[in-house]
PDB file of all heavy atoms in Angstrom:
ATOM      1  N   PHE A   1      -5.494 -11.799  -1.647  1.00 60.00           N
ATOM      2  CA  PHE A   1      -4.853 -10.670  -0.969  1.00 60.00           C
ATOM      3  C   PHE A   1      -3.798 -10.025  -1.861  1.00 60.00           C
ATOM      4  O   PHE A   1      -3.567  -8.821  -1.784  1.00 60.00           O
ATOM      5  CB  PHE A   1      -4.220 -11.159   0.336  1.00 60.00           C
ATOM      6  CG  PHE A   1      -3.774 -10.044   1.242  1.00 60.00           C
ATOM      7  CD1 PHE A   1      -4.714  -9.307   1.958  1.00 60.00           C
ATOM      8  CD2 PHE A   1      -2.440  -9.733   1.388  1.00 60.00           C
ATOM      9  CE1 PHE A   1      -4.311  -8.277   2.805  1.00 60.00           C
ATOM     10  CE2 PHE A   1      -2.032  -8.708   2.233  1.00 60.00           C
ATOM     11  CZ  PHE A   1      -2.970  -7.981   2.946  1.00 60.00           C
ATOM     12  N   LEU A   2      -3.142 -10.811  -2.704  1.00 61.00           N
ATOM     13  CA  LEU A   2      -2.093 -10.291  -3.587  1.00 61.00           C
ATOM     14  C   LEU A   2      -2.629  -9.889  -4.956  1.00 61.00           C
ATOM     15  O   LEU A   2      -1.864  -9.486  -5.821  1.00 61.00           O
ATOM     16  CB  LEU A   2      -0.983 -11.333  -3.747  1.00 61.00           C
ATOM     17  CG  LEU A   2      -0.153 -11.606  -2.479  1.00 61.00           C
ATOM     18  CD1 LEU A   2       0.815 -12.741  -2.723  1.00 61.00           C
ATOM     19  CD2 LEU A   2       0.594 -10.347  -2.032  1.00 61.00           C
ATOM     20  N   ASP A   3      -3.933  -9.980  -5.157  1.00 62.00           N
ATOM     21  CA  ASP A   3      -4.533  -9.622  -6.437  1.00 62.00           C
ATOM     22  C   ASP A   3      -4.339  -8.135  -6.720  1.00 62.00           C
ATOM     23  O   ASP A   3      -4.283  -7.306  -5.802  1.00 62.00           O
ATOM     24  CB  ASP A   3      -6.027  -9.952  -6.420  1.00 62.00           C
ATOM     25  CG  ASP A   3      -6.670  -9.762  -7.780  1.00 62.00           C
ATOM     26  OD1 ASP A   3      -6.481 -10.623  -8.645  1.00 62.00           O
ATOM     27  OD2 ASP A   3      -7.349  -8.729  -7.956  1.00 62.00           O
ATOM     28  N   ASP A   4      -4.254  -7.777  -7.998  1.00 64.00           N
ATOM     29  CA  ASP A   4      -4.045  -6.370  -8.369  1.00 64.00           C
ATOM     30  C   ASP A   4      -5.160  -5.477  -7.848  1.00 64.00           C
ATOM     31  O   ASP A   4      -4.920  -4.332  -7.450  1.00 64.00           O
ATOM     32  CB  ASP A   4      -3.951  -6.237  -9.895  1.00 64.00           C
ATOM     33  CG  ASP A   4      -2.641  -6.794 -10.443  1.00 64.00           C
ATOM     34  OD1 ASP A   4      -1.703  -6.953  -9.648  1.00 64.00           O
ATOM     35  OD2 ASP A   4      -2.578  -7.069 -11.657  1.00 64.00           O
ATOM     36  N   SER A   5      -6.397  -5.973  -7.826  1.00 64.00           N
ATOM     37  CA  SER A   5      -7.509  -5.156  -7.352  1.00 64.00           C
ATOM     38  C   SER A   5      -7.366  -4.841  -5.870  1.00 64.00           C
ATOM     39  O   SER A   5      -7.737  -3.766  -5.410  1.00 64.00           O
ATOM     40  CB  SER A   5      -8.836  -5.873  -7.609  1.00 64.00           C
ATOM     41  OG  SER A   5      -8.893  -7.099  -6.901  1.00 64.00           O
ATOM     42  N   CYS A   6      -6.830  -5.786  -5.106  1.00 66.00           N
ATOM     43  CA  CYS A   6      -6.603  -5.561  -3.677  1.00 66.00           C
ATOM     44  C   CYS A   6      -5.511  -4.504  -3.492  1.00 66.00           C
ATOM     45  O   CYS A   6      -5.626  -3.618  -2.635  1.00 66.00           O
ATOM     46  CB  CYS A   6      -6.197  -6.859  -2.994  1.00 66.00           C
ATOM     47  SG  CYS A   6      -6.163  -6.753  -1.193  1.00 66.00           S
ATOM     48  N   MET A   7      -4.478  -4.567  -4.307  1.00 71.00           N
ATOM     49  CA  MET A   7      -3.414  -3.577  -4.220  1.00 71.00           C
ATOM     50  C   MET A   7      -3.933  -2.192  -4.578  1.00 71.00           C
ATOM     51  O   MET A   7      -3.596  -1.190  -3.936  1.00 71.00           O
ATOM     52  CB  MET A   7      -2.260  -3.968  -5.148  1.00 71.00           C
ATOM     53  CG  MET A   7      -1.017  -3.095  -4.984  1.00 71.00           C
ATOM     54  SD  MET A   7       0.385  -3.774  -5.889  1.00 71.00           S
ATOM     55  CE  MET A   7       1.697  -2.672  -5.346  1.00 71.00           C
ATOM     56  N   GLU A   8      -4.781  -2.113  -5.607  1.00 72.00           N
ATOM     57  CA  GLU A   8      -5.364  -0.829  -5.987  1.00 72.00           C
ATOM     58  C   GLU A   8      -6.246  -0.274  -4.865  1.00 72.00           C
ATOM     59  O   GLU A   8      -6.305   0.928  -4.633  1.00 72.00           O
ATOM     60  CB  GLU A   8      -6.184  -0.989  -7.270  1.00 72.00           C
ATOM     61  CG  GLU A   8      -5.353  -1.185  -8.518  1.00 72.00           C
ATOM     62  CD  GLU A   8      -4.411  -0.003  -8.768  1.00 72.00           C
ATOM     63  OE1 GLU A   8      -4.841   1.155  -8.602  1.00 72.00           O
ATOM     64  OE2 GLU A   8      -3.238  -0.253  -9.101  1.00 72.00           O
ATOM     65  N   TYR A   9      -6.929  -1.178  -4.169  1.00 69.00           N
ATOM     66  CA  TYR A   9      -7.775  -0.753  -3.052  1.00 69.00           C
ATOM     67  C   TYR A   9      -6.929  -0.097  -1.969  1.00 69.00           C
ATOM     68  O   TYR A   9      -7.265   0.963  -1.451  1.00 69.00           O
ATOM     69  CB  TYR A   9      -8.530  -1.944  -2.472  1.00 69.00           C
ATOM     70  CG  TYR A   9      -9.094  -1.679  -1.115  1.00 69.00           C
ATOM     71  CD1 TYR A   9     -10.237  -0.897  -0.949  1.00 69.00           C
ATOM     72  CD2 TYR A   9      -8.476  -2.164   0.034  1.00 69.00           C
ATOM     73  CE1 TYR A   9     -10.744  -0.629   0.297  1.00 69.00           C
ATOM     74  CE2 TYR A   9      -8.977  -1.903   1.286  1.00 69.00           C
ATOM     75  CZ  TYR A   9     -10.111  -1.137   1.411  1.00 69.00           C
ATOM     76  OH  TYR A   9     -10.604  -0.861   2.650  1.00 69.00           O
ATOM     77  N   PHE A  10      -5.800  -0.733  -1.606  1.00 72.00           N
ATOM     78  CA  PHE A  10      -4.935  -0.150  -0.580  1.00 72.00           C
ATOM     79  C   PHE A  10      -4.371   1.185  -1.033  1.00 72.00           C
ATOM     80  O   PHE A  10      -4.256   2.128  -0.252  1.00 72.00           O
ATOM     81  CB  PHE A  10      -3.807  -1.119  -0.237  1.00 72.00           C
ATOM     82  CG  PHE A  10      -4.232  -2.249   0.659  1.00 72.00           C
ATOM     83  CD1 PHE A  10      -4.034  -3.565   0.286  1.00 72.00           C
ATOM     84  CD2 PHE A  10      -4.837  -2.002   1.878  1.00 72.00           C
ATOM     85  CE1 PHE A  10      -4.437  -4.604   1.102  1.00 72.00           C
ATOM     86  CE2 PHE A  10      -5.237  -3.037   2.709  1.00 72.00           C
ATOM     87  CZ  PHE A  10      -5.035  -4.342   2.315  1.00 72.00           C
ATOM     88  N   LYS A  11      -4.012   1.283  -2.312  1.00 74.00           N
ATOM     89  CA  LYS A  11      -3.510   2.564  -2.831  1.00 74.00           C
ATOM     90  C   LYS A  11      -4.558   3.656  -2.664  1.00 74.00           C
ATOM     91  O   LYS A  11      -4.271   4.761  -2.183  1.00 74.00           O
ATOM     92  CB  LYS A  11      -3.142   2.424  -4.320  1.00 74.00           C
ATOM     93  CG  LYS A  11      -1.828   1.729  -4.594  1.00 74.00           C
ATOM     94  CD  LYS A  11      -1.555   1.722  -6.097  1.00 74.00           C
ATOM     95  CE  LYS A  11      -0.252   1.021  -6.421  1.00 74.00           C
ATOM     96  NZ  LYS A  11      -0.001   0.982  -7.896  1.00 74.00           N
ATOM     97  N   GLU A  12      -5.780   3.350  -3.079  1.00 73.00           N
ATOM     98  CA  GLU A  12      -6.865   4.334  -2.998  1.00 73.00           C
ATOM     99  C   GLU A  12      -7.119   4.755  -1.554  1.00 73.00           C
ATOM    100  O   GLU A  12      -7.326   5.923  -1.255  1.00 73.00           O
ATOM    101  CB  GLU A  12      -8.137   3.730  -3.603  1.00 73.00           C
ATOM    102  CG  GLU A  12      -9.341   4.675  -3.561  1.00 73.00           C
ATOM    103  CD  GLU A  12     -10.597   4.011  -4.084  1.00 73.00           C
ATOM    104  OE1 GLU A  12     -10.476   2.988  -4.785  1.00 73.00           O
ATOM    105  OE2 GLU A  12     -11.699   4.514  -3.791  1.00 73.00           O
ATOM    106  N   MET A  13      -7.077   3.776  -0.649  1.00 72.00           N
ATOM    107  CA  MET A  13      -7.359   4.078   0.749  1.00 72.00           C
ATOM    108  C   MET A  13      -6.301   4.997   1.345  1.00 72.00           C
ATOM    109  O   MET A  13      -6.609   5.974   2.033  1.00 72.00           O
ATOM    110  CB  MET A  13      -7.441   2.793   1.559  1.00 72.00           C
ATOM    111  CG  MET A  13      -8.040   2.985   2.946  1.00 72.00           C
ATOM    112  SD  MET A  13      -7.569   1.694   4.100  1.00 72.00           S
ATOM    113  CE  MET A  13      -5.881   2.185   4.456  1.00 72.00           C
ATOM    114  N   PHE A  14      -5.030   4.719   1.086  1.00 77.00           N
ATOM    115  CA  PHE A  14      -3.963   5.543   1.654  1.00 77.00           C
ATOM    116  C   PHE A  14      -3.899   6.916   1.002  1.00 77.00           C
ATOM    117  O   PHE A  14      -3.551   7.905   1.651  1.00 77.00           O
ATOM    118  CB  PHE A  14      -2.623   4.814   1.549  1.00 77.00           C
ATOM    119  CG  PHE A  14      -2.395   3.825   2.651  1.00 77.00           C
ATOM    120  CD1 PHE A  14      -2.717   2.494   2.481  1.00 77.00           C
ATOM    121  CD2 PHE A  14      -1.894   4.231   3.880  1.00 77.00           C
ATOM    122  CE1 PHE A  14      -2.539   1.579   3.506  1.00 77.00           C
ATOM    123  CE2 PHE A  14      -1.703   3.322   4.915  1.00 77.00           C
ATOM    124  CZ  PHE A  14      -2.033   1.993   4.723  1.00 77.00           C
ATOM    125  N   LEU A  15      -4.219   7.015  -0.277  1.00 76.00           N
ATOM    126  CA  LEU A  15      -4.279   8.330  -0.917  1.00 76.00           C
ATOM    127  C   LEU A  15      -5.395   9.174  -0.323  1.00 76.00           C
ATOM    128  O   LEU A  15      -5.290  10.394  -0.225  1.00 76.00           O
ATOM    129  CB  LEU A  15      -4.489   8.161  -2.429  1.00 76.00           C
ATOM    130  CG  LEU A  15      -3.268   7.662  -3.212  1.00 76.00           C
ATOM    131  CD1 LEU A  15      -3.660   7.332  -4.647  1.00 76.00           C
ATOM    132  CD2 LEU A  15      -2.153   8.708  -3.188  1.00 76.00           C
ATOM    133  N   ARG A  16      -6.491   8.497   0.101  1.00 73.00           N
ATOM    134  CA  ARG A  16      -7.582   9.194   0.758  1.00 73.00           C
ATOM    135  C   ARG A  16      -7.165   9.667   2.152  1.00 73.00           C
ATOM    136  O   ARG A  16      -7.509  10.751   2.589  1.00 73.00           O
ATOM    137  CB  ARG A  16      -8.790   8.252   0.862  1.00 73.00           C
ATOM    138  CG  ARG A  16     -10.054   8.829   0.289  1.00 73.00           C
ATOM    139  CD  ARG A  16     -11.236   7.887   0.289  1.00 73.00           C
ATOM    140  NE  ARG A  16     -11.253   6.800   1.212  1.00 73.00           N
ATOM    141  CZ  ARG A  16     -11.217   5.528   0.857  1.00 73.00           C
ATOM    142  NH1 ARG A  16     -11.132   5.189  -0.402  1.00 73.00           N
ATOM    143  NH2 ARG A  16     -11.270   4.576   1.754  1.00 73.00           N
ATOM    144  N   LEU A  17      -6.403   8.824   2.853  1.00 74.00           N
ATOM    145  CA  LEU A  17      -5.962   9.172   4.200  1.00 74.00           C
ATOM    146  C   LEU A  17      -4.911  10.265   4.200  1.00 74.00           C
ATOM    147  O   LEU A  17      -4.872  11.104   5.103  1.00 74.00           O
ATOM    148  CB  LEU A  17      -5.395   7.928   4.896  1.00 74.00           C
ATOM    149  CG  LEU A  17      -6.385   6.925   5.479  1.00 74.00           C
ATOM    150  CD1 LEU A  17      -5.645   5.707   6.006  1.00 74.00           C
ATOM    151  CD2 LEU A  17      -7.208   7.549   6.593  1.00 74.00           C
ATOM    152  N   PHE A  18      -4.038  10.251   3.185  1.00 76.00           N
ATOM    153  CA  PHE A  18      -2.933  11.212   3.113  1.00 76.00           C
ATOM    154  C   PHE A  18      -2.945  11.893   1.749  1.00 76.00           C
ATOM    155  O   PHE A  18      -2.071  11.667   0.905  1.00 76.00           O
ATOM    156  CB  PHE A  18      -1.600  10.494   3.344  1.00 76.00           C
ATOM    157  CG  PHE A  18      -1.543   9.702   4.621  1.00 76.00           C
ATOM    158  CD1 PHE A  18      -1.763   8.335   4.617  1.00 76.00           C
ATOM    159  CD2 PHE A  18      -1.281  10.329   5.834  1.00 76.00           C
ATOM    160  CE1 PHE A  18      -1.721   7.595   5.787  1.00 76.00           C
ATOM    161  CE2 PHE A  18      -1.234   9.602   7.012  1.00 76.00           C
ATOM    162  CZ  PHE A  18      -1.453   8.236   7.000  1.00 76.00           C
ATOM    163  N   PRO A  19      -3.940  12.762   1.499  1.00 74.00           N
ATOM    164  CA  PRO A  19      -4.121  13.327   0.152  1.00 74.00           C
ATOM    165  C   PRO A  19      -2.988  14.245  -0.300  1.00 74.00           C
ATOM    166  O   PRO A  19      -2.772  14.413  -1.492  1.00 74.00           O
ATOM    167  CB  PRO A  19      -5.437  14.111   0.287  1.00 74.00           C
ATOM    168  CG  PRO A  19      -5.567  14.406   1.745  1.00 74.00           C
ATOM    169  CD  PRO A  19      -4.959  13.237   2.452  1.00 74.00           C
ATOM    170  N   ALA A  20      -2.251  14.826   0.625  1.00 72.00           N
ATOM    171  CA  ALA A  20      -1.224  15.806   0.238  1.00 72.00           C
ATOM    172  C   ALA A  20       0.180  15.224   0.307  1.00 72.00           C
ATOM    173  O   ALA A  20       1.160  15.964   0.228  1.00 72.00           O
ATOM    174  CB  ALA A  20      -1.324  17.036   1.138  1.00 72.00           C
ATOM    175  N   GLN A  21       0.300  13.909   0.459  1.00 77.00           N
ATOM    176  CA  GLN A  21       1.619  13.301   0.619  1.00 77.00           C
ATOM    177  C   GLN A  21       1.826  12.196  -0.414  1.00 77.00           C
ATOM    178  O   GLN A  21       0.880  11.663  -0.986  1.00 77.00           O
ATOM    179  CB  GLN A  21       1.775  12.731   2.031  1.00 77.00           C
ATOM    180  CG  GLN A  21       1.602  13.772   3.137  1.00 77.00           C
ATOM    181  CD  GLN A  21       1.843  13.186   4.501  1.00 77.00           C
ATOM    182  OE1 GLN A  21       2.855  12.544   4.742  1.00 77.00           O
ATOM    183  NE2 GLN A  21       0.911  13.412   5.417  1.00 77.00           N
ATOM    184  N   ALA A  22       3.094  11.875  -0.618  1.00 80.00           N
ATOM    185  CA  ALA A  22       3.440  10.806  -1.558  1.00 80.00           C
ATOM    186  C   ALA A  22       3.277   9.459  -0.879  1.00 80.00           C
ATOM    187  O   ALA A  22       3.826   9.219   0.200  1.00 80.00           O
ATOM    188  CB  ALA A  22       4.875  10.992  -2.038  1.00 80.00           C
ATOM    189  N   VAL A  23       2.514   8.588  -1.504  1.00 80.00           N
ATOM    190  CA  VAL A  23       2.247   7.256  -0.960  1.00 80.00           C
ATOM    191  C   VAL A  23       2.973   6.217  -1.803  1.00 80.00           C
ATOM    192  O   VAL A  23       2.849   6.203  -3.031  1.00 80.00           O
ATOM    193  CB  VAL A  23       0.734   6.959  -0.934  1.00 80.00           C
ATOM    194  CG1 VAL A  23       0.485   5.523  -0.463  1.00 80.00           C
ATOM    195  CG2 VAL A  23       0.008   7.943  -0.039  1.00 80.00           C
ATOM    196  N   SER A  24       3.746   5.357  -1.143  1.00 83.00           N
ATOM    197  CA  SER A  24       4.444   4.264  -1.827  1.00 83.00           C
ATOM    198  C   SER A  24       3.919   2.942  -1.298  1.00 83.00           C
ATOM    199  O   SER A  24       3.843   2.731  -0.085  1.00 83.00           O
ATOM    200  CB  SER A  24       5.953   4.361  -1.569  1.00 83.00           C
ATOM    201  OG  SER A  24       6.612   3.167  -1.963  1.00 83.00           O
ATOM    202  N   ILE A  25       3.533   2.030  -2.191  1.00 82.00           N
ATOM    203  CA  ILE A  25       3.046   0.719  -1.775  1.00 82.00           C
ATOM    204  C   ILE A  25       3.623  -0.339  -2.707  1.00 82.00           C
ATOM    205  O   ILE A  25       3.649  -0.155  -3.921  1.00 82.00           O
ATOM    206  CB  ILE A  25       1.499   0.660  -1.776  1.00 82.00           C
ATOM    207  CG1 ILE A  25       1.006  -0.724  -1.345  1.00 82.00           C
ATOM    208  CG2 ILE A  25       0.921   1.039  -3.119  1.00 82.00           C
ATOM    209  CD1 ILE A  25      -0.482  -0.778  -1.073  1.00 82.00           C
ATOM    210  N   GLN A  26       4.138  -1.410  -2.119  1.00 81.00           N
ATOM    211  CA  GLN A  26       4.703  -2.492  -2.916  1.00 81.00           C
ATOM    212  C   GLN A  26       4.479  -3.815  -2.188  1.00 81.00           C
ATOM    213  O   GLN A  26       4.267  -3.850  -0.976  1.00 81.00           O
ATOM    214  CB  GLN A  26       6.199  -2.280  -3.141  1.00 81.00           C
ATOM    215  CG  GLN A  26       7.017  -2.273  -1.845  1.00 81.00           C
ATOM    216  CD  GLN A  26       8.479  -1.930  -2.095  1.00 81.00           C
ATOM    217  OE1 GLN A  26       8.770  -1.065  -2.912  1.00 81.00           O
ATOM    218  NE2 GLN A  26       9.365  -2.613  -1.407  1.00 81.00           N
ATOM    219  N   ARG A  27       4.504  -4.886  -2.943  1.00 79.00           N
ATOM    220  CA  ARG A  27       4.351  -6.200  -2.337  1.00 79.00           C
ATOM    221  C   ARG A  27       5.584  -6.531  -1.508  1.00 79.00           C
ATOM    222  O   ARG A  27       6.702  -6.197  -1.873  1.00 79.00           O
ATOM    223  CB  ARG A  27       4.107  -7.244  -3.407  1.00 79.00           C
ATOM    224  CG  ARG A  27       2.749  -7.115  -4.076  1.00 79.00           C
ATOM    225  CD  ARG A  27       2.506  -8.254  -5.061  1.00 79.00           C
ATOM    226  NE  ARG A  27       1.155  -8.187  -5.623  1.00 79.00           N
ATOM    227  CZ  ARG A  27       0.832  -7.490  -6.693  1.00 79.00           C
ATOM    228  NH1 ARG A  27       1.774  -6.792  -7.326  1.00 79.00           N
ATOM    229  NH2 ARG A  27      -0.406  -7.467  -7.138  1.00 79.00           N
ATOM    230  N   ASP A  28       5.357  -7.183  -0.375  1.00 74.00           N
ATOM    231  CA  ASP A  28       6.450  -7.555   0.523  1.00 74.00           C
ATOM    232  C   ASP A  28       7.042  -8.875   0.050  1.00 74.00           C
ATOM    233  O   ASP A  28       6.425  -9.925   0.177  1.00 74.00           O
ATOM    234  CB  ASP A  28       5.917  -7.674   1.951  1.00 74.00           C
ATOM    235  CG  ASP A  28       7.008  -8.094   2.924  1.00 74.00           C
ATOM    236  OD1 ASP A  28       8.201  -7.968   2.565  1.00 74.00           O
ATOM    237  OD2 ASP A  28       6.673  -8.545   4.034  1.00 74.00           O
ATOM    238  N   GLU A  29       8.245  -8.820  -0.476  1.00 65.00           N
ATOM    239  CA  GLU A  29       8.901 -10.025  -0.974  1.00 65.00           C
ATOM    240  C   GLU A  29      10.112 -10.401  -0.130  1.00 65.00           C
ATOM    241  O   GLU A  29      10.869 -11.300  -0.470  1.00 65.00           O
ATOM    242  CB  GLU A  29       9.329  -9.819  -2.430  1.00 65.00           C
ATOM    243  CG  GLU A  29       8.157  -9.532  -3.373  1.00 65.00           C
ATOM    244  CD  GLU A  29       8.606  -9.259  -4.791  1.00 65.00           C
ATOM    245  OE1 GLU A  29       9.833  -9.139  -4.996  1.00 65.00           O
ATOM    246  OE2 GLU A  29       7.743  -9.155  -5.691  1.00 65.00           O
ATOM    247  N   GLU A  30      10.312  -9.683   0.991  1.00 61.00           N
ATOM    248  CA  GLU A  30      11.504  -9.914   1.809  1.00 61.00           C
ATOM    249  C   GLU A  30      11.274 -10.983   2.859  1.00 61.00           C
ATOM    250  O   GLU A  30      12.118 -11.846   3.084  1.00 61.00           O
ATOM    251  CB  GLU A  30      11.928  -8.601   2.486  1.00 61.00           C
ATOM    252  CG  GLU A  30      12.288  -7.500   1.491  1.00 61.00           C
ATOM    253  CD  GLU A  30      12.609  -6.197   2.199  1.00 61.00           C
ATOM    254  OE1 GLU A  30      12.564  -6.193   3.447  1.00 61.00           O
ATOM    255  OE2 GLU A  30      12.913  -5.203   1.521  1.00 61.00           O
ATOM    256  N   THR A  31      10.133 -10.944   3.539  1.00 53.00           N
ATOM    257  CA  THR A  31       9.897 -11.845   4.671  1.00 53.00           C
ATOM    258  C   THR A  31       9.043 -13.040   4.300  1.00 53.00           C
ATOM    259  O   THR A  31       8.791 -13.896   5.136  1.00 53.00           O
ATOM    260  CB  THR A  31       9.211 -11.064   5.807  1.00 53.00           C
ATOM    261  OG1 THR A  31       7.988 -10.498   5.316  1.00 53.00           O
ATOM    262  CG2 THR A  31      10.101  -9.950   6.298  1.00 53.00           C
ATOM    263  N   GLY A  32       8.579 -13.113   3.067  1.00 55.00           N
ATOM    264  CA  GLY A  32       7.766 -14.236   2.644  1.00 55.00           C
ATOM    265  C   GLY A  32       6.322 -14.084   3.062  1.00 55.00           C
ATOM    266  O   GLY A  32       5.996 -13.342   3.970  1.00 55.00           O
ATOM    267  N   GLY A  33       5.426 -14.817   2.388  1.00 61.00           N
ATOM    268  CA  GLY A  33       4.010 -14.720   2.698  1.00 61.00           C
ATOM    269  C   GLY A  33       3.388 -13.511   2.043  1.00 61.00           C
ATOM    270  O   GLY A  33       4.076 -12.582   1.614  1.00 61.00           O
ATOM    271  N   PRO A  34       2.045 -13.499   1.939  1.00 71.00           N
ATOM    272  CA  PRO A  34       1.370 -12.372   1.290  1.00 71.00           C
ATOM    273  C   PRO A  34       1.420 -11.125   2.158  1.00 71.00           C
ATOM    274  O   PRO A  34       1.166 -11.183   3.363  1.00 71.00           O
ATOM    275  CB  PRO A  34      -0.071 -12.877   1.140  1.00 71.00           C
ATOM    276  CG  PRO A  34      -0.247 -13.837   2.279  1.00 71.00           C
ATOM    277  CD  PRO A  34       1.087 -14.490   2.457  1.00 71.00           C
ATOM    278  N   GLY A  35       1.758 -10.001   1.560  1.00 77.00           N
ATOM    279  CA  GLY A  35       1.796  -8.765   2.322  1.00 77.00           C
ATOM    280  C   GLY A  35       2.178  -7.579   1.465  1.00 77.00           C
ATOM    281  O   GLY A  35       2.591  -7.730   0.304  1.00 77.00           O
ATOM    282  N   TYR A  36       2.014  -6.393   2.055  1.00 81.00           N
ATOM    283  CA  TYR A  36       2.360  -5.143   1.392  1.00 81.00           C
ATOM    284  C   TYR A  36       3.176  -4.291   2.344  1.00 81.00           C
ATOM    285  O   TYR A  36       2.976  -4.336   3.570  1.00 81.00           O
ATOM    286  CB  TYR A  36       1.112  -4.370   0.975  1.00 81.00           C
ATOM    287  CG  TYR A  36       0.238  -5.080  -0.034  1.00 81.00           C
ATOM    288  CD1 TYR A  36      -0.838  -5.862   0.376  1.00 81.00           C
ATOM    289  CD2 TYR A  36       0.494  -4.975  -1.400  1.00 81.00           C
ATOM    290  CE1 TYR A  36      -1.635  -6.522  -0.542  1.00 81.00           C
ATOM    291  CE2 TYR A  36      -0.305  -5.630  -2.325  1.00 81.00           C
ATOM    292  CZ  TYR A  36      -1.365  -6.400  -1.891  1.00 81.00           C
ATOM    293  OH  TYR A  36      -2.153  -7.048  -2.806  1.00 81.00           O
ATOM    294  N   ILE A  37       4.085  -3.518   1.793  1.00 83.00           N
ATOM    295  CA  ILE A  37       4.807  -2.510   2.567  1.00 83.00           C
ATOM    296  C   ILE A  37       4.328  -1.146   2.090  1.00 83.00           C
ATOM    297  O   ILE A  37       4.416  -0.823   0.904  1.00 83.00           O
ATOM    298  CB  ILE A  37       6.330  -2.631   2.388  1.00 83.00           C
ATOM    299  CG1 ILE A  37       6.816  -3.978   2.936  1.00 83.00           C
ATOM    300  CG2 ILE A  37       7.042  -1.487   3.100  1.00 83.00           C
ATOM    301  CD1 ILE A  37       8.294  -4.223   2.720  1.00 83.00           C
ATOM    302  N   VAL A  38       3.789  -0.363   3.009  1.00 83.00           N
ATOM    303  CA  VAL A  38       3.232   0.948   2.687  1.00 83.00           C
ATOM    304  C   VAL A  38       4.053   2.014   3.385  1.00 83.00           C
ATOM    305  O   VAL A  38       4.288   1.941   4.601  1.00 83.00           O
ATOM    306  CB  VAL A  38       1.756   1.046   3.140  1.00 83.00           C
ATOM    307  CG1 VAL A  38       1.181   2.390   2.729  1.00 83.00           C
ATOM    308  CG2 VAL A  38       0.938  -0.091   2.542  1.00 83.00           C
ATOM    309  N   LYS A  39       4.484   3.023   2.618  1.00 85.00           N
ATOM    310  CA  LYS A  39       5.258   4.129   3.180  1.00 85.00           C
ATOM    311  C   LYS A  39       4.587   5.445   2.827  1.00 85.00           C
ATOM    312  O   LYS A  39       4.175   5.665   1.689  1.00 85.00           O
ATOM    313  CB  LYS A  39       6.685   4.126   2.642  1.00 85.00           C
ATOM    314  CG  LYS A  39       7.501   2.887   2.989  1.00 85.00           C
ATOM    315  CD  LYS A  39       8.900   2.969   2.392  1.00 85.00           C
ATOM    316  CE  LYS A  39       9.696   1.702   2.684  1.00 85.00           C
ATOM    317  NZ  LYS A  39      11.053   1.755   2.068  1.00 85.00           N
ATOM    318  N   VAL A  40       4.500   6.327   3.816  1.00 83.00           N
ATOM    319  CA  VAL A  40       3.998   7.684   3.608  1.00 83.00           C
ATOM    320  C   VAL A  40       4.928   8.624   4.362  1.00 83.00           C
ATOM    321  O   VAL A  40       4.881   8.717   5.598  1.00 83.00           O
ATOM    322  CB  VAL A  40       2.554   7.864   4.112  1.00 83.00           C
ATOM    323  CG1 VAL A  40       2.056   9.266   3.773  1.00 83.00           C
ATOM    324  CG2 VAL A  40       1.626   6.814   3.524  1.00 83.00           C
ATOM    325  N   GLY A  41       5.808   9.319   3.636  1.00 80.00           N
ATOM    326  CA  GLY A  41       6.763  10.205   4.280  1.00 80.00           C
ATOM    327  C   GLY A  41       7.641   9.455   5.260  1.00 80.00           C
ATOM    328  O   GLY A  41       7.988   8.286   5.076  1.00 80.00           O
ATOM    329  N   ASP A  42       8.009  10.146   6.353  1.00 78.00           N
ATOM    330  CA  ASP A  42       8.852   9.527   7.376  1.00 78.00           C
ATOM    331  C   ASP A  42       8.048   9.004   8.556  1.00 78.00           C
ATOM    332  O   ASP A  42       8.605   8.384   9.466  1.00 78.00           O
ATOM    333  CB  ASP A  42       9.873  10.560   7.900  1.00 78.00           C
ATOM    334  CG  ASP A  42      10.826  11.022   6.809  1.00 78.00           C
ATOM    335  OD1 ASP A  42      11.154  10.197   5.923  1.00 78.00           O
ATOM    336  OD2 ASP A  42      11.246  12.196   6.843  1.00 78.00           O
ATOM    337  N   ASP A  43       6.734   9.252   8.562  1.00 79.00           N
ATOM    338  CA  ASP A  43       5.924   8.912   9.731  1.00 79.00           C
ATOM    339  C   ASP A  43       5.217   7.575   9.622  1.00 79.00           C
ATOM    340  O   ASP A  43       4.784   7.019  10.631  1.00 79.00           O
ATOM    341  CB  ASP A  43       4.865  10.001   9.972  1.00 79.00           C
ATOM    342  CG  ASP A  43       5.486  11.313  10.406  1.00 79.00           C
ATOM    343  OD1 ASP A  43       6.574  11.265  11.006  1.00 79.00           O
ATOM    344  OD2 ASP A  43       4.880  12.366  10.143  1.00 79.00           O
TER     345      ASP A  43
END
């Protein structure tokens, strides 16, 4: 789940969903366990 290819997959998917907006994705290191935090604008 934390592999780089999995992260690239999530990036590609969100860019497809929100093509005209800035997409930010990073690994979640605050709460522990495997995860990602994805942000798109304020919504």
Side-chain angles (χ1 to χ4, degrees):
F1 191 75
L2 292 174
D3 187 77
D4 288 342
S5 62
C6 190
M7 188 170 187
E8 288 300 318
Y9 163 76
F10 282 124
K11 283 183 181 179
E12 180 184 341
M13 193 202 76
F14 277 94
L15 287 171
R16 234 176 23 245
L17 281 175
F18 305 98
Q21 301 183 51
V23 176
S24 167
I25 180 169
Q26 62 185 40
R27 291 185 175 87
D28 179 17
E29 299 177 352
E30 299 176 1
T31 58
Y36 297 94
I37 296 176
V38 183
K39 298 179 183 178
V40 184
D42 297 327
D43 292 332

